[in-house]
Amino acid sequence: MLFEALIQISKMEFYSLTQLARNLKVSEDMAHHLVEQLKAMGYIKEESFGVECSGDCKTCAGCPAAKGALPIKTLVITEKGMQALNLAN
């Protein structure tokens, strides 16, 4: 089940716990547990992409950073995870 979760995550354009659970036909709690296990094993890692203000654009009214945009969190496959996926092919 862990390897199938890794495969499903690698196929996702954008990570979604709900979609992962649906694809694996498990509860969201179980999908979360699988993700945490894969992180602990070093096959995936969480990355955050934030919006930062450089102060150079002078268009604060339309700037996501000025509006307090939250960082976007996603999962990425690590080198170890890629090696495991490549071995399966």
Side-chain angles (χ1 to χ4, degrees):
M1 176 84 53
L2 280 172
F3 190 68
E4 182 58 31
L6 182 63
I7 291 170
Q8 290 299 319
I9 292 167
S10 74
K11 291 178 180 179
M12 291 180 166
E13 187 173 350
F14 300 102
Y15 170 72
S16 162
L17 180 65
T18 302
Q19 189 61 48
L20 179 61
R22 272 192 215 128
N23 292 350
L24 296 173
K25 296 178 177 59
V26 298
S27 69
E28 286 190 26
D29 285 340
M30 175 58 92
H32 176 75
H33 177 70
L34 293 169
V35 166
E36 292 303 313
Q37 288 288 44
L38 288 168
K39 281 197 251 183
M41 295 168 68
Y43 289 103
I44 60 175
K45 65 181 180 177
E46 191 173 280
E47 284 191 357
S48 294
F49 301 95
V51 180
E52 294 183 16
C53 178
S54 66
D56 296 333
C57 67
K58 308 292 187 238
T59 58
C60 294
C63 179
K67 293 179 181 179
L70 298 174
I72 298 167
K73 292 183 181 178
T74 191
L75 295 177
V76 294
I77 309 293
T78 64
E79 183 64 33
K80 183 178 178 180
M82 291 303 290
Q83 288 173 356
L85 289 168
N86 289 334
L87 286 175
N89 293 327

